[in-house]
PDB file of all heavy atoms in Angstrom:
ATOM      1  N   ILE A  31     174.298 180.721  67.662  1.00 98.00           N
ATOM      2  CA  ILE A  31     173.534 181.988  67.794  1.00 98.00           C
ATOM      3  C   ILE A  31     172.159 181.786  68.461  1.00 98.00           C
ATOM      4  O   ILE A  31     171.713 182.499  69.365  1.00 98.00           O
ATOM      5  CB  ILE A  31     173.359 182.636  66.421  1.00 98.00           C
ATOM      6  CG1 ILE A  31     174.743 183.201  65.958  1.00 98.00           C
ATOM      7  CG2 ILE A  31     172.398 183.849  66.496  1.00 98.00           C
ATOM      8  CD1 ILE A  31     174.741 183.650  64.528  1.00 98.00           C
ATOM      9  N   VAL A  32     171.467 180.751  68.055  1.00 98.00           N
ATOM     10  CA  VAL A  32     170.111 180.366  68.660  1.00 98.00           C
ATOM     11  C   VAL A  32     170.269 180.048  70.108  1.00 98.00           C
ATOM     12  O   VAL A  32     169.523 180.473  70.941  1.00 98.00           O
ATOM     13  CB  VAL A  32     169.450 179.225  67.882  1.00 98.00           C
ATOM     14  CG1 VAL A  32     168.214 178.700  68.613  1.00 98.00           C
ATOM     15  CG2 VAL A  32     168.985 179.711  66.476  1.00 98.00           C
ATOM     16  N   GLY A  33     171.384 179.295  70.517  1.00 98.00           N
ATOM     17  CA  GLY A  33     171.591 179.023  71.828  1.00 98.00           C
ATOM     18  C   GLY A  33     171.902 180.195  72.725  1.00 98.00           C
ATOM     19  O   GLY A  33     171.405 180.282  73.800  1.00 98.00           O
ATOM     20  N   VAL A  34     172.663 181.103  72.185  1.00 98.00           N
ATOM     21  CA  VAL A  34     172.910 182.415  72.920  1.00 98.00           C
ATOM     22  C   VAL A  34     171.696 183.228  73.112  1.00 98.00           C
ATOM     23  O   VAL A  34     171.435 183.759  74.211  1.00 98.00           O
ATOM     24  CB  VAL A  34     174.049 183.200  72.176  1.00 98.00           C
ATOM     25  CG1 VAL A  34     174.168 184.550  72.775  1.00 98.00           C
ATOM     26  CG2 VAL A  34     175.397 182.422  72.208  1.00 98.00           C
ATOM     27  N   ILE A  35     170.835 183.202  72.094  1.00 98.00           N
ATOM     28  CA  ILE A  35     169.571 184.051  72.249  1.00 98.00           C
ATOM     29  C   ILE A  35     168.693 183.320  73.288  1.00 98.00           C
ATOM     30  O   ILE A  35     168.101 184.038  74.177  1.00 98.00           O
ATOM     31  CB  ILE A  35     168.861 184.026  70.879  1.00 98.00           C
ATOM     32  CG1 ILE A  35     169.666 185.009  69.962  1.00 98.00           C
ATOM     33  CG2 ILE A  35     167.467 184.514  70.985  1.00 98.00           C
ATOM     34  CD1 ILE A  35     169.137 184.993  68.541  1.00 98.00           C
ATOM     35  N   LEU A  36     168.583 182.014  73.331  1.00 98.00           N
ATOM     36  CA  LEU A  36     167.734 181.324  74.279  1.00 98.00           C
ATOM     37  C   LEU A  36     168.258 181.541  75.740  1.00 98.00           C
ATOM     38  O   LEU A  36     167.518 181.723  76.574  1.00 98.00           O
ATOM     39  CB  LEU A  36     167.634 179.824  73.913  1.00 98.00           C
ATOM     40  CG  LEU A  36     166.787 179.581  72.726  1.00 98.00           C
ATOM     41  CD1 LEU A  36     166.842 177.984  72.370  1.00 98.00           C
ATOM     42  CD2 LEU A  36     165.414 180.048  72.821  1.00 98.00           C
ATOM     43  N   VAL A  37     169.610 181.493  75.848  1.00 98.00           N
ATOM     44  CA  VAL A  37     170.184 181.728  77.153  1.00 98.00           C
ATOM     45  C   VAL A  37     169.878 183.121  77.591  1.00 98.00           C
ATOM     46  O   VAL A  37     169.584 183.405  78.815  1.00 98.00           O
ATOM     47  CB  VAL A  37     171.698 181.426  77.227  1.00 98.00           C
ATOM     48  CG1 VAL A  37     172.332 181.879  78.462  1.00 98.00           C
ATOM     49  CG2 VAL A  37     171.884 179.869  77.039  1.00 98.00           C
ATOM     50  N   ALA A  38     170.002 184.090  76.743  1.00 98.00           N
ATOM     51  CA  ALA A  38     169.711 185.516  77.065  1.00 98.00           C
ATOM     52  C   ALA A  38     168.238 185.639  77.496  1.00 98.00           C
ATOM     53  O   ALA A  38     168.004 186.355  78.378  1.00 98.00           O
ATOM     54  CB  ALA A  38     170.017 186.353  75.878  1.00 98.00           C
ATOM     55  N   LEU A  39     167.373 184.988  76.790  1.00 97.00           N
ATOM     56  CA  LEU A  39     165.894 185.017  77.174  1.00 97.00           C
ATOM     57  C   LEU A  39     165.714 184.406  78.523  1.00 97.00           C
ATOM     58  O   LEU A  39     164.882 184.876  79.313  1.00 97.00           O
ATOM     59  CB  LEU A  39     165.069 184.407  76.068  1.00 97.00           C
ATOM     60  CG  LEU A  39     164.878 185.163  74.802  1.00 97.00           C
ATOM     61  CD1 LEU A  39     164.111 184.253  73.744  1.00 97.00           C
ATOM     62  CD2 LEU A  39     164.184 186.453  75.021  1.00 97.00           C
ATOM     63  N   LEU A  40     166.353 183.355  78.843  1.00 95.00           N
ATOM     64  CA  LEU A  40     166.269 182.726  80.148  1.00 95.00           C
ATOM     65  C   LEU A  40     166.745 183.568  81.197  1.00 95.00           C
ATOM     66  O   LEU A  40     166.110 183.767  82.278  1.00 95.00           O
ATOM     67  CB  LEU A  40     167.001 181.397  80.166  1.00 95.00           C
ATOM     68  CG  LEU A  40     167.003 180.610  81.446  1.00 95.00           C
ATOM     69  CD1 LEU A  40     165.611 180.151  81.815  1.00 95.00           C
ATOM     70  CD2 LEU A  40     167.968 179.457  81.422  1.00 95.00           C
ATOM     71  N   VAL A  41     167.923 184.199  81.027  1.00 96.00           N
ATOM     72  CA  VAL A  41     168.440 185.130  82.026  1.00 96.00           C
ATOM     73  C   VAL A  41     167.482 186.342  82.254  1.00 96.00           C
ATOM     74  O   VAL A  41     167.260 186.717  83.282  1.00 96.00           O
ATOM     75  CB  VAL A  41     169.828 185.638  81.687  1.00 96.00           C
ATOM     76  CG1 VAL A  41     170.322 186.740  82.492  1.00 96.00           C
ATOM     77  CG2 VAL A  41     170.836 184.413  81.704  1.00 96.00           C
ATOM     78  N   PHE A  42     166.937 186.835  81.086  1.00 96.00           N
ATOM     79  CA  PHE A  42     165.998 188.016  81.149  1.00 96.00           C
ATOM     80  C   PHE A  42     164.748 187.608  81.969  1.00 96.00           C
ATOM     81  O   PHE A  42     164.264 188.398  82.879  1.00 96.00           O
ATOM     82  CB  PHE A  42     165.633 188.380  79.757  1.00 96.00           C
ATOM     83  CG  PHE A  42     164.622 189.521  79.692  1.00 96.00           C
ATOM     84  CD1 PHE A  42     165.010 190.816  80.000  1.00 96.00           C
ATOM     85  CD2 PHE A  42     163.311 189.295  79.327  1.00 96.00           C
ATOM     86  CE1 PHE A  42     164.147 191.851  79.947  1.00 96.00           C
ATOM     87  CE2 PHE A  42     162.406 190.283  79.336  1.00 96.00           C
ATOM     88  CZ  PHE A  42     162.800 191.576  79.608  1.00 96.00           C
ATOM     89  N   GLY A  43     164.267 186.404  81.749  1.00 92.00           N
ATOM     90  CA  GLY A  43     163.061 185.917  82.502  1.00 92.00           C
ATOM     91  C   GLY A  43     163.387 185.749  83.965  1.00 92.00           C
ATOM     92  O   GLY A  43     162.522 186.087  84.856  1.00 92.00           O
ATOM     93  N   ILE A  44     164.532 185.261  84.327  1.00 91.00           N
ATOM     94  CA  ILE A  44     164.899 185.028  85.684  1.00 91.00           C
ATOM     95  C   ILE A  44     165.048 186.391  86.423  1.00 91.00           C
ATOM     96  O   ILE A  44     164.647 186.566  87.569  1.00 91.00           O
ATOM     97  CB  ILE A  44     166.202 184.153  85.815  1.00 91.00           C
ATOM     98  CG1 ILE A  44     165.829 182.789  85.399  1.00 91.00           C
ATOM     99  CG2 ILE A  44     166.766 184.197  87.204  1.00 91.00           C
ATOM    100  CD1 ILE A  44     167.060 181.854  85.243  1.00 91.00           C
ATOM    101  N   LYS A  45     165.698 187.314  85.782  1.00 94.00           N
ATOM    102  CA  LYS A  45     165.926 188.598  86.409  1.00 94.00           C
ATOM    103  C   LYS A  45     164.612 189.400  86.577  1.00 94.00           C
ATOM    104  O   LYS A  45     164.543 190.301  87.483  1.00 94.00           O
ATOM    105  CB  LYS A  45     166.908 189.454  85.540  1.00 94.00           C
ATOM    106  CG  LYS A  45     168.288 188.948  85.688  1.00 94.00           C
ATOM    107  CD  LYS A  45     169.292 189.905  85.139  1.00 94.00           C
ATOM    108  CE  LYS A  45     170.665 189.256  85.288  1.00 94.00           C
ATOM    109  NZ  LYS A  45     171.664 190.235  85.780  1.00 94.00           N
ATOM    110  N   ASN A  46     163.615 189.114  85.742  1.00 92.00           N
ATOM    111  CA  ASN A  46     162.355 189.832  85.927  1.00 92.00           C
ATOM    112  C   ASN A  46     161.358 189.213  86.828  1.00 92.00           C
ATOM    113  O   ASN A  46     160.255 189.629  86.904  1.00 92.00           O
ATOM    114  CB  ASN A  46     161.737 190.047  84.498  1.00 92.00           C
ATOM    115  CG  ASN A  46     162.379 191.145  83.746  1.00 92.00           C
ATOM    116  OD1 ASN A  46     162.948 192.055  84.295  1.00 92.00           O
ATOM    117  ND2 ASN A  46     162.369 191.013  82.428  1.00 92.00           N
ATOM    118  N   GLY A  47     161.796 188.098  87.489  1.00 86.00           N
ATOM    119  CA  GLY A  47     160.961 187.448  88.468  1.00 86.00           C
ATOM    120  C   GLY A  47     159.946 186.408  87.886  1.00 86.00           C
ATOM    121  O   GLY A  47     158.942 186.127  88.523  1.00 86.00           O
ATOM    122  N   GLN A  48     160.242 185.956  86.706  1.00 85.00           N
ATOM    123  CA  GLN A  48     159.307 185.000  86.128  1.00 85.00           C
ATOM    124  C   GLN A  48     159.206 183.670  86.874  1.00 85.00           C
ATOM    125  O   GLN A  48     158.163 183.066  86.873  1.00 85.00           O
ATOM    126  CB  GLN A  48     159.678 184.718  84.652  1.00 85.00           C
ATOM    127  CG  GLN A  48     158.837 183.834  83.845  1.00 85.00           C
ATOM    128  CD  GLN A  48     157.464 184.446  83.548  1.00 85.00           C
ATOM    129  OE1 GLN A  48     157.428 185.658  83.276  1.00 85.00           O
ATOM    130  NE2 GLN A  48     156.406 183.679  83.394  1.00 85.00           N
ATOM    131  N   TYR A  49     160.315 183.286  87.461  1.00 82.00           N
ATOM    132  CA  TYR A  49     160.379 182.001  88.175  1.00 82.00           C
ATOM    133  C   TYR A  49     160.412 182.157  89.631  1.00 82.00           C
ATOM    134  O   TYR A  49     160.943 181.181  90.330  1.00 82.00           O
ATOM    135  CB  TYR A  49     161.565 181.210  87.595  1.00 82.00           C
ATOM    136  CG  TYR A  49     161.482 180.903  86.128  1.00 82.00           C
ATOM    137  CD1 TYR A  49     162.256 181.734  85.275  1.00 82.00           C
ATOM    138  CD2 TYR A  49     160.704 179.961  85.662  1.00 82.00           C
ATOM    139  CE1 TYR A  49     162.201 181.452  83.926  1.00 82.00           C
ATOM    140  CE2 TYR A  49     160.613 179.752  84.344  1.00 82.00           C
ATOM    141  CZ  TYR A  49     161.378 180.499  83.384  1.00 82.00           C
ATOM    142  OH  TYR A  49     161.290 180.224  82.051  1.00 82.00           O
ATOM    143  N   ASP A  50     159.974 183.201  90.182  1.00 84.00           N
ATOM    144  CA  ASP A  50     159.962 183.423  91.596  1.00 84.00           C
ATOM    145  C   ASP A  50     159.077 182.522  92.418  1.00 84.00           C
ATOM    146  O   ASP A  50     159.421 181.949  93.394  1.00 84.00           O
ATOM    147  CB  ASP A  50     159.681 184.831  92.034  1.00 84.00           C
ATOM    148  CG  ASP A  50     160.872 185.811  91.718  1.00 84.00           C
ATOM    149  OD1 ASP A  50     161.912 185.250  91.475  1.00 84.00           O
ATOM    150  OD2 ASP A  50     160.619 187.031  91.695  1.00 84.00           O
ATOM    151  N   ASP A  51     157.849 182.390  91.956  1.00 81.00           N
ATOM    152  CA  ASP A  51     156.838 181.540  92.645  1.00 81.00           C
ATOM    153  C   ASP A  51     156.382 180.396  91.751  1.00 81.00           C
ATOM    154  O   ASP A  51     155.492 180.435  91.039  1.00 81.00           O
ATOM    155  CB  ASP A  51     155.617 182.432  93.001  1.00 81.00           C
ATOM    156  CG  ASP A  51     154.601 181.721  93.764  1.00 81.00           C
ATOM    157  OD1 ASP A  51     154.927 180.661  94.450  1.00 81.00           O
ATOM    158  OD2 ASP A  51     153.493 182.235  93.926  1.00 81.00           O
ATOM    159  N   LEU A  52     157.120 179.274  91.923  1.00 78.00           N
ATOM    160  CA  LEU A  52     156.823 178.145  91.030  1.00 78.00           C
ATOM    161  C   LEU A  52     155.672 177.313  91.490  1.00 78.00           C
ATOM    162  O   LEU A  52     154.992 176.709  90.745  1.00 78.00           O
ATOM    163  CB  LEU A  52     158.080 177.253  90.940  1.00 78.00           C
ATOM    164  CG  LEU A  52     159.302 177.844  90.316  1.00 78.00           C
ATOM    165  CD1 LEU A  52     160.451 176.850  90.353  1.00 78.00           C
ATOM    166  CD2 LEU A  52     159.014 178.209  88.883  1.00 78.00           C
ATOM    167  N   GLU A  53     155.368 177.336  92.775  1.00 81.00           N
ATOM    168  CA  GLU A  53     154.185 176.571  93.309  1.00 81.00           C
ATOM    169  C   GLU A  53     152.957 177.332  93.403  1.00 81.00           C
ATOM    170  O   GLU A  53     151.861 176.743  93.563  1.00 81.00           O
ATOM    171  CB  GLU A  53     154.608 175.954  94.659  1.00 81.00           C
ATOM    172  CG  GLU A  53     155.746 174.985  94.557  1.00 81.00           C
ATOM    173  CD  GLU A  53     156.073 174.390  95.935  1.00 81.00           C
ATOM    174  OE1 GLU A  53     155.281 174.571  96.870  1.00 81.00           O
ATOM    175  OE2 GLU A  53     157.123 173.755  96.041  1.00 81.00           O
TER     176      GLU A  53
END
Side-chain angles (χ1 to χ4, degrees):
I31 291 170
V32 168
V34 168
I35 291 171
L36 290 176
V37 168
L39 287 174
L40 178 66
V41 169
F42 179 74
I44 290 172
K45 288 191 181 227
N46 284 332
Q48 182 72 30
Y49 299 104
D50 285 347
D51 186 17
L52 295 177
E53 294 182 12

